[in-house]
Amino acid sequence: SVARECGIIPAKNKVYMSEAVREGSITKLAWNQIEFIEDEENDLPLVMEEVKESEIDNPRKAQEMEVSNVVEYVPNKLSDTLALQLEKNLGSMKRSNISTLIKVRKRTVAEEGLDELEDRHPWDNADHDFSLVFTGDSFGLLMKKDPKAAKEETKEILKRSAVFARMSPDGKALLIDALQNQDLLVGMCGDGANDCVALKAADVGISLSEAEASIAAPFTCKTPDISCVLKLLREGRSALITSFQSFKFTALYSIIQFTTMTLLYYNSTTMTDYEFIYVDLITLMPLAFTISLTRAAGKLSKEQPMNTLICLPILASIIGQALIQIIFQVFSCLMV
């Protein structure tokens, strides 16, 4: 429910929560479909449906049985909004004076044939959007099967995963490593000693406290919330763009001065020492100082800046402006 309120999980997405289930000597990855309905009067999220399934869905070997011990008690006096949502999703319901029993069905699959159908999941061939939720035990089981997250199935699961809860310090570092293997830049926020390993492994680590985590993280925020992430992204992009602009400024200055001196030597003349001092101190210094005062934009843009100097937009900008100033100087020299 918190993930939905924060927008981490879209309201229209169905949620599948992973669970490490031990059956005899075999530990399998199971998925539970869980939905939440909010009661506007009580403001309490209620579990509407919980469908427990094994890691595969095989019609030939599946056995359906009613599970009566999965019960959610819904107050007799429901708000209109909650009642309408329940009727829409669950159909007709029998109300008692005390509670309403919501029955679910559980599908179990025989252990034989698991290797053949290992790649099937409850959401396969689904026509709806969904988000995945992992716990520390279930994520560890997933990584045990594919430590480098190289399989397409694991990549898709990580792409769909929205929440990772109850993770151990090593589990957090393992998650960051798995995401980095997908060519992603990973950020990590932490406030305790158990986050140090993950903060150090992440591309961008932010400590939300001045305790142990601040030693491992390159950035420290005194405010104990993640609002600093947006500010860090804005300032980081601003610093990157300013560095690129400084490079372009230096390159163009050199090209302009080279063109000027070439034309002057062509006409058997040159600049005096005082003219060089005037150009460097009066003309260039204010411009260079102004570039360093550039502030970050107030709003974070969806477009990411280039992360390398050797790219078409930057090279095209430098070459284009160099051609413009060369043409202008040559034309001015010929007209004088």
Side-chain angles (χ1 to χ4, degrees):
S1 60
V2 176
R4 286 197 186 277
E5 293 175 1
C6 297
I8 299 176
I9 298 178
K12 64 178 181 179
N13 281 23
K14 289 189 176 181
V15 181
Y16 294 93
M17 178 179 290
S18 62
E19 181 183 5
V21 179
R22 187 172 184 82
E23 296 182 2
S25 61
I26 300 176
T27 303
K28 300 184 298 184
L29 190 63
W31 295 93
N32 304 330
Q33 180 184 336
I34 299 179
E35 294 295 335
F36 293 90
I37 297 179
E38 294 185 0
D39 185 355
E40 293 182 352
E41 292 184 359
N42 300 323
D43 196 24
L44 294 174
L46 301 174
V47 179
M48 179 197 72
E49 182 181 3
E50 183 180 6
V51 181
K52 292 187 176 181
E53 297 183 295
S54 66
E55 62 179 339
I56 58 175
D57 180 9
N58 186 353
R60 292 178 295 123
K61 298 180 180 179
Q63 296 177 352
E64 297 187 359
M65 63 185 72
E66 292 186 357
V67 180
S68 59
N69 59 344
V70 182
V71 181
E72 286 297 332
Y73 291 94
V74 182
N76 188 32
K77 294 182 179 180
L78 299 173
S79 66
D80 295 336
T81 302
L82 180 57
L84 289 175
Q85 290 178 342
L86 287 173
E87 291 178 2
K88 179 181 178 181
N89 290 279
L90 300 179
S92 59
M93 297 173 54
K94 296 182 180 180
R95 293 190 182 182
S96 61
N97 294 330
I98 300 177
S99 64
T100 301
L101 175 63
I102 303 176
K103 291 185 177 181
V104 301
R105 291 189 176 275
K106 179 179 181 181
R107 291 183 177 179
T108 59
V109 182
E111 293 180 2
E112 57 268 22
L114 288 177
D115 295 335
E116 301 176 1
L117 303 173
E118 185 179 29
D119 56 343
R120 298 194 60 188
H121 302 91
W123 59 83
D124 287 347
N125 302 321
D127 57 352
H128 56 265
D129 294 328
F130 60 90
S131 299
L132 304 180
V133 176
F134 272 97
T135 60
D137 294 338
S138 59
F139 180 75
L141 181 60
L142 177 67
M143 289 294 98
K144 186 177 180 180
K145 295 181 178 181
D146 188 10
K148 297 297 183 181
K151 296 181 180 179
E152 291 299 326
E153 174 191 1
T154 307
K155 292 180 180 180
E156 183 64 22
I157 288 178
L158 290 176
K159 180 180 178 181
R160 295 280 190 173
S161 300
V163 178
F164 297 88
R166 300 176 182 177
M167 301 283 285
S168 65
D170 293 337
K172 296 175 184 179
L174 191 62
L175 170 61
I176 290 176
D177 183 64
L179 294 175
Q180 289 173 336
N181 289 337
Q182 315 305 318
D183 296 329
L184 298 175
L185 294 177
V186 184
M188 170 69 185
C189 293
D191 60 354
N194 59 340
D195 298 319
C196 290
V197 179
L199 288 171
K200 190 174 182 180
D203 296 293
V204 180
I206 306 176
S207 172
L208 302 180
S209 70
E210 298 182 11
E212 297 88 348
S214 61
I215 301 176
F219 300 98
T220 301
C221 179
K222 295 182 179 180
T223 305
D225 57 51
I226 61 174
S227 60
C228 60
V229 175
L230 293 178
K231 184 176 181 180
L232 180 62
L233 288 174
R234 292 199 304 268
E235 294 294 338
R237 290 187 178 184
S238 176
L240 181 62
I241 293 298
T242 301
S243 299
F244 286 172
Q245 295 300 328
S246 299
F247 168 77
K248 292 164 65 176
F249 176 79
T250 305
L252 285 173
Y253 164 66
S254 301
I255 295 174
I256 291 172
Q257 192 172 60
F258 172 78
T259 305
T260 300
M261 297 305 300
T262 301
L263 293 174
L264 289 175
Y265 284 142
Y266 178 78
N267 291 294
S268 302
T269 184
T270 186
M271 295 174 61
T272 64
D273 293 340
Y274 289 105
E275 288 175 330
F276 277 111
I277 294 175
Y278 175 82
V279 170
D280 291 338
L281 295 181
I282 306 302
T283 305
L284 295 180
M285 287 295 292
L287 291 176
F289 182 74
T290 303
I291 291 177
S292 65
L293 294 179
T294 304
R295 294 185 178 182
K299 184 179 180 181
L300 189 64
S301 173
K302 293 182 179 180
E303 298 181 4
Q304 296 184 5
M306 299 295 175
N307 58 0
T308 177
L309 289 172
I310 311 301
C311 60
L312 181 60
I314 293 179
L315 294 179
S317 175
I318 295 176
I319 295 173
Q321 294 184 59
L323 290 176
I324 292 175
Q325 66 84 22
I326 290 174
I327 294 172
F328 178 79
Q329 288 196 63
V330 171
F331 179 78
S332 300
C333 182
L334 295 176
M335 293 299 296
V336 173

